[in-house]
């Protein structure tokens, strides 16, 4: 992994080319992360992918998390790998919940085609809309399912286990 | 003509549904529909304390259960900054490699069955039963053993395990040689797999494909060698790499991996250090039962760990390992309580399935079945 | 019926008489009695059905690795119970083994497979997940396959050992042959002590459940009247 000074160097270089894109850096438990402004995500990803010397061209994973009750609520994470130097970096963008409207972010399918199914999964579970995605439909839940299961305020579901003596007396 | 293959079909490896547009016998367009075994594991994990999550996550990709356990336990160990003792590292590596052989045996048996070499199923499952005997000897269960815990492994290996494991690992390369004898000069097998399902290495990298599929296309990317984890830096093994990237190369790569894994198993047995098999930190690890009757602190620790579970300081970690099918990543968000706030698995089959369309389009339907076998998706992992 | 022990020479002479057509009277009756079993047609039919079950090759999740793959392999051979011919088509199969968790997306597919099977058909709910959702009490798994299809035998375990599945299989065979093994209830003559939680087979549905059922039925009828093609 790039260590903490290396991460700051990367941030400095990104500031030169895409000013204002990176909001913060975080180096927690030996994992570097760049927290990026929601609308500039694609710029940062493109910079990391194409910049000679920082070829983070392999998107290893794309996922989201719901940080309720903290706001902004949703965070999408891009795990990138630089295969030449064998280093990982995480790019994180926070999205706020707008009530009825679904939060939106640009899709990175053109940069990383691997994100196609992974973005569909994030849409299916969190209700985050990806602008520019070729086929944004539910992937794991049935097509007519209502609700975004992985959000923190969605109930786990299931039914309570019935024990004989806790029920009403049988007939 | 649009044909619907699955979700119940003799050849699909699990409940995968494919909507295939055919023109005669040539596949023109392919849309996989998944979600038929979606179990909501990631959501269930948010409701359970950390050690209860372990049986949940191991049921995701149900042929390689040790790998899911390792990904989750490794992620939590990084969150709590816990170092596992050397014996536990070697034991974990040993079981991971045995599970890798097990996964490849299931793959070989079922894929050869799909391609018509039916007797391979019986031979591969004969070996698989030997591995399951080893698992049962050490952990008590054939599958879904919940053997790895945060801090190490739950129990030491019993007497007699080493001899039996060594006998198995020495016999395995001979058996693999016998499998190759059965299949390598089989005209039908060769003509069905050579030259079919070719996807270029660049396209595979774009699609995020890892594991034997990428290695068959010529890229020697293996997380065991790239990132140091567990006891792999001390092991001496090679990474089989293919040339063309067709189905035959994928078959050869996996079969060669079985031999390399047997070598790793033997090296682990030779180098297994003495010592504790789980970390000593009682805040996260259960104390041994013999202490419960003499020490009050152990009793309190045991009580706290079993009822509430250990609390993990807030943070998030992404930890990935080399799964038989590619890169298995585990993303854990901890919020300071005894239950994880988010557990997400980057499953290799889920991402590899995106390459299936490229493998099958403009080929025959029969080649699509061969490609599906060589792609080796496990739908439990795809659907989670 | 007692069988007298006779010497080989006597049996040879008797065989020669039969072939010549010389055996008659009491000897002939005894000869036939020793070789012919009389029974009802139903018993023979059930015996034949039980010993030649064609399971459906249907695997959902982890239990699928233990059955139908592991029990047909050489160590835990299912073929010795007559169930060697696993059929892929539900039209040709007798037994559907629900091996694995039934998710909400898969439930209609399983039900359709079950409907496509021809009578007589049996269902084995293998494993904890298909019997009662196992450890997955959440939004995505149907809480037990018996919520939408009848189940004949439940085999617990996660996953059940192949020997357990074979034991369940032999119990199913006994059930098919007409004398279902009631286990301890027969040993201790404890019939009539079954307890059913609310909603069990012998209880009345609760008023809310009855009302919900009526509403669902009316809405489906309305759709069918309106010409919904999938309900025709």
């Amino acid at each position: 992994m790039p260590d903490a000074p290396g991460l700051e160097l990367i941030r400095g270089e990104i500031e030169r080319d895409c000013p204002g894109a990176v909001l913060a850096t975080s180096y927690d438990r030996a994992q570097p992360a760049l927290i990026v402004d929601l609308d500039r995500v694609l710029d940062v990803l493109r910079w990391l992918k194409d910049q000679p010397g920082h070829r983070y061209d392999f998107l290893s994973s794309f996922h989201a998390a719901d940080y309720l009750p903290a706001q902004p609520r949703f965070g999408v994470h891009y795990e990138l790998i630089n295969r030449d130097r064998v280093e990982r970096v995480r790019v994180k963008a926070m999205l706020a919940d707008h009530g009825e409207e679904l939060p939106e972010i640009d899709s990175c399918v053109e940069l990383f085609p691997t994100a196609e199914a992974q973005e569909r999964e994030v849409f299916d579970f969190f209700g985050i809309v990806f602008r520019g995605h070729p086929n944004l439909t539910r992937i794991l839940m049935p097509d007519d399912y209502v609700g975004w299961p992985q959000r923190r305020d969605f109930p786990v579901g299931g039914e309570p286990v019935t024990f004989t003596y806790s029920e009403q007396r049988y007939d | 003509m649009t044909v619907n293959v699955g979700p119940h079909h003799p050849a699909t490896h699990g409940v995968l549904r494919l909507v295939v547009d055919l023109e005669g016998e040539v596949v023109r367009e392919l849309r996989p529909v998944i979600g038929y075994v979606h179990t909501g594991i990631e959501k269930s994990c948010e409701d359970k304390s950390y050690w209860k999550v372990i049986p949940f996550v191991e049921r995701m990709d149900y042929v390689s259960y040790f790998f899911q356990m390792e990904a989750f336990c490794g992620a939590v160990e990084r969150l709590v900054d816990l170092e596992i003792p050397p014996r536990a590292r070697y034991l974990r590596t040993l079981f991971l490699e045995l599970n890798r052989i097990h996964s490849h045996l299931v793959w070989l048996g079922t894929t050869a069955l799909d391609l018509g070499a039916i007797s391979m199923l019986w031979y591969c499952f004969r070996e698989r039963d030997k591995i399951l005997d080893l698992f049962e000897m050490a952990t008590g269960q054939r599958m879904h053993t919940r053997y790895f815990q945060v801090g190490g492994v739950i129990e030491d290996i019993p007497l007699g395990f080493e001899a039996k494991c060594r006998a198995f690992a020495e016999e395995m390369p001979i058996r693999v040689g016998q499998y190759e004898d059965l299949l390598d000069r089989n005209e039908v097998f060769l003509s069905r797999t050579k030259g079919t399902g070719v996807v270029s290495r660049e396209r595979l990298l774009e699609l995020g494909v890892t594991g034997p599929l990428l290695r068959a296309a010529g890229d020697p990317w293996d997380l065991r060698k790239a990132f140091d984890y567990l006891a792999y830096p001390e092991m001496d093994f090679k990474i089989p790499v293919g040339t063309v990237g067709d189905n035959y190369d994928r078959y050869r790569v996996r079969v060669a991996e079985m031999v390399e894994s047997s070598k790793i198993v033997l090296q682990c047995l030779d180098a297994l250090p003495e010592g504790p098999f789980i970390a000593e930190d009682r805040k996260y690890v259960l104390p041994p039962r013999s202490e419960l009757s003499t020490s009050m602190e152990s009793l309190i620790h045991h009580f706290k760990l079993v009822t509430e579970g250990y609390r993990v300081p807030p943070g998030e970690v992404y930890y990935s390992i080399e799964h038989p099918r590619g890169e298995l990543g585990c993303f854990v968000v901890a919020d300071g309580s005894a239950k994880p706030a988010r557990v997400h698995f980057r499953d290799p089959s889920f991402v590899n399935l995106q390459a299936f369309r490229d493998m099958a389009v403009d080929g025959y339907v029969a080649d699509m079945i061969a490609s599906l076998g060589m792609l080796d998706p496990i739908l439990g992992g795809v659907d989670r | 019926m007692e069988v007298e022990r006779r010497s080989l020479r006597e049996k040879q002479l008797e065989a020669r008489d039969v072939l010549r057509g010389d055996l008659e009277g009491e000897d002939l009756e005894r000869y036939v009695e020793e070789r012919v079993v009389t029974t009802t047609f139903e018993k023979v039919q059930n015996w034949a059905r039980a010993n030649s079950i064609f399971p459906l090759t249907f695997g959902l999740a982890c239990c699928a690795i233990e059955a139908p793959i592991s029990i047909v392999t050489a160590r835990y051979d299912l073929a010795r119970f007559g169930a060697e011919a696993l059929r892929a088509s539900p039209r040709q199969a007798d037994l559907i083994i629900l091996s694995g968790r039934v998710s909400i997306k898969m439930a209609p597919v399983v039900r359709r497979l079950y409907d496509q099977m021809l009578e007589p058909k049996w269902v084995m709910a293998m494993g904890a997940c298909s019997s009662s959702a196992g450890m997955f009490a959440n939004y995505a798994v149907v809480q037990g396959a018996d919520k939408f299809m009848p189940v004949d035998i439940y085999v617990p375990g996660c996953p059940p050992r192949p020997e357990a599945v074979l034991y369940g299989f032999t119990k199913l065979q006994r059930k098919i042959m007409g004398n279902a093994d009631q286990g301890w209830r027969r040993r201790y003559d404890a019939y009539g002590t079954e307890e059913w939680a609310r909603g069990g087979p012998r209880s009345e549905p609760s008023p809310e459940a009855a009302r919900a059922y009526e509403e669902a039925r009316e809405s489906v009828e309305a759709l069918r009247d309106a010409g919904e093609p999938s309900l025709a």
Side-chain angles (χ1 to χ4, degrees), chain B residues 298-333:
Chain B
S298 298
L299 202 61
I300 298 175
H301 277 131
H302 183 100
F303 177 77
K304 282 293 287 178
L305 284 173
V306 170
T307 51
E308 188 196 356
Y310 44 85
R311 294 177 184 223
V312 174
E316 53 193 32
V317 136
Y318 176 79
Y319 173 64
S320 65
I321 57 174
E322 179 73 19
H323 181 102
R325 281 166 203 92
E327 173 183 335
L328 174 72
C330 180
F331 175 69
V332 180
V333 174

Side-chain angles (χ1 to χ4, degrees), chain B residues 126-140:
Chain B
R126 173 188 64 184
E127 254 59 69
R128 180 194 170 242
D129 266 320
K130 291 204 191 114
I131 299 184
L132 291 178
D133 281 345
L134 285 171
F135 288 161
E136 199 185 358
M137 198 183 200
T139 69

Side-chain angles (χ1 to χ4, degrees), chain B residues 332-354:
Chain B
V332 180
V333 174
D335 59 357
S337 73
K339 301 182 178 175
R342 169 87 170 120
V343 175
H344 170 80
F345 271 79
R346 182 257 189 227
D347 191 83
S349 305
F350 183 64
V351 181
N352 292 355
L353 201 59
Q354 298 179 87

Side-chain angles (χ1 to χ4, degrees), chain C residues 2-35:
Chain C
E2 290 184 18
V3 179
E4 317 152 13
R5 297 220 153 259
R6 289 176 294 159
S7 72
L8 181 60
R9 184 70 192 140
E10 284 177 24
K11 288 193 244 184
Q12 278 179 335
L13 290 172
E14 192 187 45
R16 186 201 62 187
D17 288 339
V18 163
L19 286 172
R20 281 186 192 165
D22 278 349
L23 206 60
E24 23 195 274
E26 231 181 71
D27 291 333
L28 182 58
E29 276 188 32
R30 188 185 56 187
Y31 185 84
V32 169
E33 241 179 50
E34 284 169 4
R35 280 159 187 78

